[in-house]
Amino acid sequence: MGVEQKLGNMGIATTTLEQAVAWSRTNAMWPMLFGLACCAIEMMSAQAAHYDMSRFGMELMRPSPRQSDLMIVAGRVSRKMAPVLRRLYDQMPEPKWVISMGDCASCGGVFNNYAIVQGVDEVVPVDVYVAGCPPRPEALIHGVLTLYEKVRGMKFAEIKK
Amino acid sequence: MPDIQEITVDDLKHLVSERAIQGETVLLNMGPQHPSTHGVLRLLLELDGEIVVNCIPDIGFLHTGVEKNMEAKTYQKAEVMADRLDYLNTVGNTLAFSLAVEKLVDLDVPPRAQTIRVILAELTRFQSHLVWLGTSALDLAAMSMFLYCFREREYILDVMEMCSGQRMMTTYIRPGGLWRDVPVEFEAAVRNILKTFPKRVDEYEALLTRNPLMLDRTYGIGKLTGEECLNFGVTGPMLRASGVKWDLRKDRPYSGYEQYDFKVPTRTEGDVYARYLVRLEEMRQSLKIVQQALDKLPMGPVRSNNHKYVPPPRSEIGVSMEALIHHFKLWTEGFEAPQGAIYSAVESPRGELGVYLESDGGPRPYRIHWRTPSFDNLQSLPLMSKGVLVADLVAIIGSVDIVLGDVDR
Amino acid sequence: MEKNLQPILGMLKKEFGGTASEYRGDVSLVIPSGKIVAACQQVQAQGFELLSALTAVDYWPEESPRFHVIYQFTSVAMNLVLTLRVPVPGINPSLPTISHLYRNANWRERELWDMFGIIFKGHPDLRRILMPADWEGHPLRKDYPLGYEEPQFTFNFEEINLRKPYAKE
C-alpha cells in the first residue's frame, strides 16, 4: 500500500504472485471440445454470438486435450465412453478443471439404467456441477463464473501434489 | 474401470483390405472425440497416404438404453425420454411418439392441435437444418456461418420457450394433443420469424452456393445412386438428393399435412453439393408450410376429450368428479393400451423416424423400438468414402447429417 | 388394407404359408423361420425396395417362441408398407441373414445379436455394435435387469455414498 500511494497514478499495481497467476488462469481458460449429446448444442449456443462465452476468456475451444485446461463434460456418458473420458482427462496437463454440465453428467439424469454412468464423478473429479436438462447457456456461464471464483481462491500448493 | 481396448489389424481382418495386413497402409483412429465427427463417432480409417481405402465406423459411444428404460415407465413418463434421442429434432421425436400412441389406442386429435403440431414440427426442421448448416460449414472452415445460424436459431428457441417453458426438450406434444394452448404472443413471434427468415436464407445462399471454395470441396464428392440409397435404407434429404422422390409428409401424410401445399425438393446428382441444395430448399419450404398453417389456425380445444387417455384440463378438476378421478388414475397408474403392435413413421429432418410399439394390455409399452434414420444413413458411409481424401471425408460426414443420439439410442 | 397390397399378400400367404393379421391398418404376416430368406427375396422382387425396420420382441418367460423378429418393408414405387414376423425359439436362437439382399440389415442384425442374442447365420461380421466389445449379456432380453440405481434420499444418503465409486484424481 505504501508503494502504490507514493507512486501515484503511474499504472502500477501490486499483488501477490498467487493472485496474479489465478487472474491469468481465469482470463484465458480454454475449454476442450467434449460435447457428447444435447448439452453440446447448448454449449455451442453459449459459444455463439447471442450468449458469448469469449467475453469470459473462452475464445476458442481446443479439440486437443494437450492444449486445454478445462473439460466441460456436456452430455450423457455411456459405459463405452467412460474409459475414453478418463484417458482424455489424463492427457490434459495440470492445472486442469472439470465442469459437469447438465443432469446426465452430474447424476445420470433421466436415464437410470445399465448403459449410462450415473454421474461423471465416478470417472473424473468434478469441480463445478451445472444442473439443467439441458442447462440454459446462461446457466453454463454462471457455472463457468463459479469456477473462476474457485480458481481465484486457489493456492499454488493445492495443485502440486 | 475397464481400460480402452486396443484394436489390432488382426481383429478386423475381415474388414480391411489386404494391404493393411501387409503393413502397406496405416490404420488410423479418428476417435470418439473429434471436432468434425459431429458427436461421439469413432471411425477407423485405413489410409494410403492421404487417401482413404476403407472406413469402418464404430458406434455405441452414446448408447443410452432408451428402449429398455421406456419399458419400465408408463407412456406419459416414457415420453420424456423420447425428446432426448435425436436432440436436434426434439419436437419431431415427441410427435412420432404421440402419433404412435394415438394409433395404438385410437385417439382423435382436434384440428387446432394438429395445426400447431405442424407449425412446431416445421420450425424444428428449420432449426435442425440451421445447426447442420452451421456445423458442416464450420467443418469446411466457413466459421461465420456458424455464428449466423445460431443467431437465427435463438428466435425459434424463443418460440419454443414461450410455448412450453423449455428451449430444447419441450415434451409439448403429448398423446391426445398438446400440453396446453399456445400463449397470445405466439402468433406475433412466428409472424416475425416468417417476415425475417426468408431474407436470411437468401443471405446463406449468397455466401455459399456459388462460392468456388464450396464448389471445390463439395461438388462430385460422395456420390450415391438412388438404388444404392434404397438398398442401404437411406431416407430423408440424402435419398431425395439422389433422385428418389420419397417424403413421408407427402406420400404417407400424418397430422394434417395433406392440406398444405409445398414442394419436395429433389436433385439427381447425389453428391454433397446436391444434399446441401436440397436441405436449403427444404428450409424455404418449411417456412411456406408454417405460413399456410398459421393462416388457417382454427379455434378450438387443443386436447382430445377422451379422458381415459388424456388428462383433463386443470380448470375441470375442481368442478367435476370424473375429471378428478381420471386425473388421479392417469398420473398414478397410467392408461392401459389395448393389446397389439403398430408401426408409425414421421419424416424427421434426417429421414424416416419410425416407432414400433407393442403393447400387452398393460400401462407400460411392452416393446418400443425406434427406427432412427441416422443409423441407416451412417451405414452408407463406408461406401461413399472409398478413395477420397481425408478432407473430403469430413465434408461427407457433414453431409450425412448424423446425430449420434439418433444412431445409438 | 390398401388395395394394391391384397394380391401381394395373397401370393405370399400361398407360397410360404403363415397367418396374416391386420391391426389399425397395419398388415403383418407370420412366416416360419426356415423360409424367411426366400420370403424376403420374393418381397424384394415384388417392389419393396426399402427395409424400414428390423427389430425383435422378447416374450419371456414363454420359451417357444421366445422371440418374434419383425421385418418392416416399404415400397417407394407403390407406396405400400408390409410387416413380416418370424417366431424364433429361446434356446439357441438363430436365423439366416438377409444382409445380401438389403444392405442395411448388416448393422440391424448386429444390433439384434447385441441386444437379444439372436445369431444370424451367414452374417459377414457378427460382433457387438452398441455395447462395449467385452460386455456380457444381452441387454434387451426381459430377464436382464434394468441396472436401476437407487436414488439417494436423506435417509439412505450415507450408505449409497459409500457404495458409489468416486474418482480420486
Side-chain angles (χ1 to χ4, degrees):
Chain A
M1 203 125 81
V3 175
E4 279 172 334
Q5 274 179 344
K6 289 199 178 101
L7 288 174
N9 207 3
M10 278 177 66
I12 297 184
T14 58
T15 176
T16 67
L17 185 59
E18 278 170 356
Q19 276 181 7
V21 169
W23 172 83
S24 65
R25 275 190 187 143
T26 58
N27 267 27
M29 198 180 275
W30 288 355
M32 185 171 81
L33 256 185
F34 207 67
L36 296 165
C38 352
C39 284
I41 312 293
E42 288 292 45
M43 191 166 69
M44 289 201 283
S45 284
Q47 188 78 28
H50 202 85
Y51 307 96
D52 197 5
M53 273 217 297
S54 11
R55 314 178 253 175
F56 303 105
M58 305 198 165
E59 173 65 36
L60 24 77
M61 296 203 151
R62 284 293 184 199
S64 161
R66 307 239 184 239
Q67 296 167 7
S68 57
D69 28 24
L70 169 67
M71 183 157 88
I72 305 182
V73 184
R76 45 195 189 249
V77 179
S78 74
R79 297 259 168 225
K80 200 168 175 181
M81 191 68 190
V84 178
L85 176 67
R86 182 72 211 186
R87 187 181 265 201
L88 285 169
Y89 178 75
D90 291 334
Q91 283 177 348
M92 282 166 71
E94 289 278 353
K96 55 191 172 189
W97 296 278
V98 175
I99 289 183
S100 150
M101 175 183 177
D103 284 344
C104 292
S106 309
C107 64
V110 201
F111 305 106
N112 197 345
N113 54 25
Y114 61 91
I116 294 284
V117 172
Q118 300 295 310
V120 89
D121 49 14
E122 287 185 16
V123 179
V124 291
V126 175
D127 291 298
V128 173
Y129 299 85
V130 181
C133 191
R136 281 190 68 111
E138 291 136 330
L140 178 63
I141 294 178
H142 177 70
V144 165
L145 293 178
T146 314
L147 180 69
Y148 284 176
E149 276 174 32
K150 178 176 177 177
V151 171
R152 289 213 185 93
M154 271 172 106
K155 301 183 175 308
F156 272 148
E158 269 177 343
I159 302 171
K160 292 200 180 68
K161 277 214 186 347
Chain B
M1 149 143 45
D3 201 9
I4 303 180
Q5 260 192 333
E6 310 282 346
I7 294 194
T8 61
V9 175
D10 287 326
D11 295 337
L12 301 169
K13 251 203 297 270
H14 51 288
L15 290 173
V16 298
S17 70
E18 283 295 311
R19 300 160 69 188
I21 302 177
Q22 289 164 7
E24 206 180 303
T25 54
V26 172
L27 208 62
L28 187 70
N29 182 36
M30 197 160 152
Q33 190 255 353
H34 191 279
S36 306
T37 54
H38 298 286
V40 277
L41 168 68
R42 180 183 187 201
L43 293 174
L44 286 157
L45 301 175
E46 187 194 337
L47 294 177
D48 174 20
E50 188 81 10
I51 301 179
V52 174
V53 175
N54 242 323
C55 159
I56 304 164
D58 186 15
I59 61 175
F61 288 95
L62 203 59
H63 178 61
T64 321
V66 166
E67 298 182 357
K68 192 167 177 83
N69 213 341
M70 279 189 175
E71 287 173 16
K73 301 189 173 222
T74 61
Y75 288 96
Q76 279 126 339
K77 294 185 185 167
E79 190 180 351
V80 168
M81 298 190 166
D83 273 308
R84 287 148 174 90
L85 282 172
D86 173 0
Y87 37 84
L88 288 177
N89 178 34
T90 60
V91 166
N93 291 350
T94 47
L95 179 61
F97 184 81
S98 302
L99 286 173
V101 173
E102 284 155 16
K103 186 170 176 182
L104 183 67
V105 305
D106 208 12
L107 260 186
D108 61 306
V109 180
R112 182 174 169 92
Q114 287 191 357
T115 319
I116 298 179
R117 280 179 175 185
V118 166
I119 295 177
L120 291 176
E122 289 306 313
L123 283 178
T124 310
R125 185 184 312 268
F126 192 93
Q127 174 254 128
S128 164
H129 283 326
L130 275 177
V131 175
W132 160 78
L133 187 59
T135 49
S136 56
L138 187 65
D139 284 343
L140 302 176
M143 187 161 172
S144 50
M145 282 305 295
F146 174 75
L147 296 172
Y148 290 153
C149 290
F150 274 73
R151 172 192 65 179
E152 255 65 277
R153 205 167 159 258
E154 293 296 328
Y155 289 103
I156 299 182
L157 292 178
D158 276 345
V159 169
M160 298 287 176
E161 191 175 2
M162 188 189 295
C163 291
S164 69
Q166 252 270 29
R167 279 156 59 104
M168 278 169 68
M169 314 297 173
T170 57
T171 328
Y172 187 63
I173 296 180
R174 304 199 178 175
L178 306 171
W179 171 47
R180 62 170 192 183
D181 208 345
V182 289
V184 285
E185 305 97 4
F186 176 76
E187 183 167 342
V190 179
R191 286 216 190 274
N192 185 26
I193 289 181
L194 289 171
K195 204 166 56 158
T196 52
F197 276 26
K199 282 199 299 287
R200 304 271 168 92
V201 179
D202 291 336
E203 270 177 28
Y204 305 151
E205 266 215 280
L207 268 178
L208 284 180
T209 306
R210 294 231 147 281
N211 194 333
L213 293 171
M214 175 85 174
L215 284 170
D216 252 346
R217 288 208 64 175
T218 57
Y219 194 74
I221 309 276
K223 276 194 201 269
L224 268 186
T225 63
E227 295 90 48
E228 279 171 349
C229 277
L230 285 172
N231 207 286
F232 268 107
V234 170
T235 48
M238 281 182 76
L239 182 65
R240 293 195 279 277
S242 298
V244 180
K245 191 169 170 157
W246 176 249
D247 186 336
L248 285 173
R249 295 175 289 168
K250 271 250 190 280
D251 297 309
R252 304 189 75 83
Y254 52 90
S255 189
Y257 266 104
E258 56 268 4
Q259 315 162 20
Y260 307 114
D261 167 42
F262 61 99
K263 286 204 294 283
V264 172
T266 338
R267 297 193 73 87
T268 49
E269 300 96 21
D271 58 358
V272 173
Y273 190 63
R275 290 172 203 145
Y276 159 78
L277 289 174
V278 164
R279 286 196 179 105
L280 213 57
E281 185 59 36
E282 271 188 13
M283 283 160 79
R284 291 216 174 86
Q285 296 299 318
S286 284
L287 291 176
K288 199 166 156 198
I289 298 176
V290 174
Q291 174 87 47
Q292 292 171 47
L294 199 60
D295 286 336
K296 68 161 68 157
L297 187 60
M299 286 291 149
V302 291
R303 269 195 274 192
S304 158
N305 275 334
N306 188 350
H307 292 308
K308 292 246 174 310
Y309 300 108
V310 176
R314 299 285 303 184
S315 49
E316 266 184 38
I317 294 181
V319 182
S320 143
M321 192 58 177
E322 289 89 25
L324 183 64
I325 296 176
H326 280 135
H327 175 96
F328 179 73
K329 283 194 86 67
L330 278 172
W331 290 114
T332 52
E333 287 175 2
F335 57 83
E336 299 201 338
Q339 194 168 12
I342 53 111
Y343 177 82
S344 136
V346 304
E347 177 85 15
S348 95
R350 278 150 202 93
E352 172 181 338
L353 175 65
V355 179
Y356 171 80
L357 187 52
E358 173 156 345
S359 155
D360 62 342
R364 307 191 165 80
Y366 188 74
R367 170 82 173 114
I368 181 166
H369 170 72
W370 291 84
R371 187 273 183 203
T372 46
S374 306
F375 191 79
D376 289 311
N377 289 3
L378 193 56
Q379 281 196 61
S380 61
L381 189 66
L383 181 69
M384 276 198 282
S385 59
K386 281 205 188 317
V388 298
L389 301 171
V390 177
D392 294 333
L393 182 67
V394 166
I396 294 175
I397 297 175
S399 83
V400 174
D401 193 12
I402 48 169
V403 165
L404 264 299
D406 224 14
V407 174
D408 291 339
R409 268 165 277 129
Chain C
M1 195 188 303
E2 280 142 347
K3 233 169 13 153
N4 301 347
L5 196 50
Q6 285 270 18
I8 301 177
L9 193 66
M11 189 249 312
L12 284 171
K13 257 192 345 196
K14 212 164 51 161
E15 205 170 318
F16 300 105
T19 46
S21 61
E22 182 175 350
Y23 183 73
R24 307 263 192 251
D26 277 357
V27 175
S28 76
L29 180 63
V30 179
I31 292 207
S33 66
K35 306 194 181 147
I36 186 61
V37 180
C40 289
Q41 261 171 338
Q42 184 64 268
V43 163
Q44 196 177 34
Q46 286 295 318
F48 285 81
E49 320 94 331
L50 186 59
L51 175 67
S52 279
L54 173 53
T55 178
V57 190
D58 184 9
Y59 291 109
W60 189 73
E62 264 180 54
E63 265 308 316
S64 165
R66 179 170 173 183
F67 303 106
H68 266 212
V69 177
I70 292 132
Y71 296 77
Q72 182 85 23
F73 296 102
T74 307
S75 167
V76 167
M78 299 185 288
N79 199 348
L80 294 172
V81 179
L82 174 66
T83 313
L84 295 182
R85 292 179 81 108
V86 182
V88 177
I91 308 177
N92 296 337
S94 75
L95 273 183
T97 181
I98 61 166
S99 52
H100 50 283
L101 297 170
Y102 292 98
R103 281 152 85 172
N104 60 335
N106 191 327
W107 278 17
R108 296 247 169 231
E109 286 171 355
R110 274 177 71 185
E111 185 196 341
L112 284 187
W113 155 243
D114 193 2
M115 293 282 127
F116 287 96
I118 302 177
I119 299 183
F120 284 88
K121 293 196 281 273
H123 194 275
D125 178 27
L126 198 66
R127 55 196 164 101
R128 285 196 182 263
I129 187 170
L130 292 177
M131 304 306 296
D134 53 357
W135 195 264
E136 282 171 24
H138 298 283
L140 270 175
R141 289 190 172 187
K142 291 278 180 189
D143 48 354
Y144 190 91
L146 181 58
Y148 183 80
E149 186 203 49
E150 241 186 280
Q152 286 173 302
F153 296 107
T154 40
F155 64 91
N156 57 1
F157 192 84
E158 275 315 313
E159 48 185 84
I160 297 187
N161 225 8
L162 294 171
R163 273 188 276 145
K164 253 170 99 72
Y166 281 114
K168 298 152 190 65
E169 266 342 277

